[in-house]
């Protein structure tokens, strides 16, 4: 018996070329979908809410040259709205942690961004026009960083 | 407005202090830390000049001034977070394009450039 050239080859099922091509396609499409994304996709609601909250925050800042007590109700409503939004961002999954961290930093009452600004307004009673003007630019820019990141996520 | 010469001297002094601070606090990464801090100072220069001017004219209190300067630190953190988020988005885009390229290339090879099965099957 010739071991190198056996007269009988094992009987493998013969696949048509079309079947082999289809298998290739399925394998490739599965491969590309299996590798997980590192960032959540774009969310139109998150983007719009980010812009709405920025406008609301800048409006509130315009009132900071008057006593805090006059705007306290509006500030509380705003803070609740932001908390709801942070919950929403958290529910988008752990791959949205960067955005969640940005919101938390922006609203941190012990920090030096919008949360800190509200805290300072409350502590000082009211703030000078000049401080408000200088700080508005800073806050606007930092809201834009969150909005811009959301805008760059895959649509 | 503070004299430009005085202001520039203040910025020069700050640069020197930054180097000392980096030497004392982050010995291991001193060069990188000092370079980052100098870059930040350059970015902040315009704001610092405006705020110093307002402080000098008593239009800002020292507390307000401190608050504004400290806000830059949190702004930097926000920028870092945004950049790291954008890096993840770019990695996803790269991966997506990479797999599309493989799929398109292989489809071209096995299906032909028109993406149709040949008639020999």
């Amino acid at each position: 018996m010739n071991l190198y050239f056996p007269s009988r080859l094992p009987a493998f099922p013969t696949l048509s070329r079309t079947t082999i091509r289809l298998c290739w396609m399925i394998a490739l499409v599965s491969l590309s979908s299996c590798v997980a994304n590192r960032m959540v996709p774009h969310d139109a609601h998150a983007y719009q809410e980010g812009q709405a909250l920025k406008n609301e925050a800048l409006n509130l800042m315009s009132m900071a040259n008057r006593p805090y007590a006059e705007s306290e109700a509006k500030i509380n409503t705003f803070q609740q709205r932001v908390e709801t939004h942070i919950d929403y961002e958290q529910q988008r999954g752990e791959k949205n942690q960067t955005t969640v961290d940005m919101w938390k930093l922006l609203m941190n009452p012990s920090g030096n961004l919008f949360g800190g600004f509200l805290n300072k307004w409350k502590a000082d009673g009211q703030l000078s026009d000049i401080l408000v003007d200088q700080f508005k630019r800073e806050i606007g820019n930092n809201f834009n960083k969150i909005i811009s990141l959301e805008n760059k996520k895959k649509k | 407005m503070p004299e430009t010469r005085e202001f520039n001297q203040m910025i020069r002094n700050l640069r020197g202090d930054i180097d000392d601070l980096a030497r004392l606090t982050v010995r291991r990464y001193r060069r990188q830390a000092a370079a980052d801090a100098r870059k930040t100072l350059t970015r902040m220069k315009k704001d610092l000049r405006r705020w110093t001017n307002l402080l000098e004219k008593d239009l800002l209190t020292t507390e307000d001034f401190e608050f504004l300067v400290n806000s830059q630190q949190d702004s930097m953190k926000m920028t870092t977070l945004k950049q790291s988020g954008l890096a993840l988005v770019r990695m996803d885009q790269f991966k997506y394009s990479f797999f599309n390229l493989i799929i398109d290339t292989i489809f071209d090879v096995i299906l032909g450039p028109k993406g149709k099965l040949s008639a020999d099957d």
Side-chain angles (χ1 to χ4, degrees), chain B residues 61-119:
Chain B
T61 65
T62 48
E63 281 174 3
D64 291 350
F65 181 81
E66 267 180 52
F67 187 67
L68 283 166
V69 174
N70 285 335
S71 73
Q72 296 294 307
Q73 194 185 338
D74 283 350
S75 283
M76 273 170 62
K77 283 186 201 162
M78 288 286 283
T79 305
T80 308
L81 282 168
K82 183 191 160 189
Q83 296 302 341
S84 70
L86 286 177
L88 295 177
V89 172
R90 281 187 206 115
M91 280 171 79
D92 285 343
Q93 279 167 350
F94 171 75
K95 188 195 69 191
Y96 180 77
S97 308
F98 173 76
F99 281 107
N100 269 354
L101 181 72
I102 294 177
I103 289 169
D104 286 349
T105 308
I106 293 179
F107 277 15
D108 272 357
V109 170
I110 50 180
L111 297 179
K114 287 180 184 170
K116 286 180 181 172
L117 292 170
S118 55

Side-chain angles (χ1 to χ4, degrees), chain A residues 8-46:
Chain A
R8 283 188 175 195
L9 289 167
F12 286 112
T14 312
L15 297 174
S16 72
R17 289 179 71 181
T18 311
T19 316
I20 294 170
R21 285 169 184 174
L22 281 172
C23 288
W24 260 104
M25 286 182 220
I26 292 165
L28 284 170
V29 173
S30 313
L31 181 67
S32 64
S33 57
C34 277
V35 183
N37 280 342
R38 288 163 189 259
M39 177 58 84
V40 290
H42 173 78
D43 182 308
H45 169 75

Side-chain angles (χ1 to χ4, degrees), chain B residues 28-53:
Chain B
R28 195 168 162 198
Y29 304 106
R30 184 168 64 87
R31 277 189 192 163
Q32 188 57 44
D36 287 350
R38 274 199 297 269
K39 219 181 274 177
T40 306
L41 182 65
T42 309
R43 263 201 308 266
M44 283 173 64
K45 202 173 164 183
K46 215 170 158 186
D47 286 333
L48 274 179
R49 185 189 285 273
R50 197 171 54 246
W51 298 336
T52 308
N53 178 32

Side-chain angles (χ1 to χ4, degrees), chain A residues 61 102-121 131 134-140 142 145, chain B residues 51 62-78:
Chain A
M61 289 183 87
M102 288 174 89
W103 276 111
K104 286 184 175 171
L105 182 58
L106 185 66
M107 294 306 297
N108 179 13
S110 338
N112 293 285
L113 294 177
F114 195 61
F117 176 87
L118 292 176
N119 214 19
K120 185 171 169 59
W121 184 8
L131 176 67
Q134 299 299 313
F135 214 65
K136 250 183 167 179
R137 199 175 323 176
E138 203 61 40
I139 294 303
N142 281 299
K145 287 172 193 169
Chain B
W51 298 336
T62 48
E63 281 174 3
D64 291 350
F65 181 81
E66 267 180 52
F67 187 67
L68 283 166
V69 174
N70 285 335
S71 73
Q72 296 294 307
Q73 194 185 338
D74 283 350
S75 283
M76 273 170 62
K77 283 186 201 162
M78 288 286 283

Side-chain angles (χ1 to χ4, degrees), chain A residues 6-100:
Chain A
S7 56
R8 283 188 175 195
L9 289 167
F12 286 112
T14 312
L15 297 174
S16 72
R17 289 179 71 181
T18 311
T19 316
I20 294 170
R21 285 169 184 174
L22 281 172
C23 288
W24 260 104
M25 286 182 220
I26 292 165
L28 284 170
V29 173
S30 313
L31 181 67
S32 64
S33 57
C34 277
V35 183
N37 280 342
R38 288 163 189 259
M39 177 58 84
V40 290
H42 173 78
D43 182 308
H45 169 75
Y47 178 74
Q48 282 157 11
E49 187 67 358
Q51 281 185 320
L53 288 170
K54 174 192 161 189
N55 294 337
E56 185 69 28
L58 295 178
N59 282 340
L60 279 174
M61 289 183 87
S62 303
M63 297 180 220
N65 56 359
R66 294 199 294 272
Y68 180 85
E70 279 181 20
S71 305
E72 195 165 12
K74 279 184 182 172
I75 293 166
N76 290 340
T77 310
F78 176 81
Q79 282 173 322
Q80 278 166 7
R81 193 173 161 187
V82 175
E83 273 171 34
T84 308
H85 186 62
I86 293 176
D87 283 345
Y88 177 82
E89 296 282 18
Q90 251 163 349
Q91 280 165 16
R92 289 173 69 192
E94 60 185 36
K95 285 174 188 165
N96 197 34
Q97 195 55 44
T98 311
T99 300
V100 172

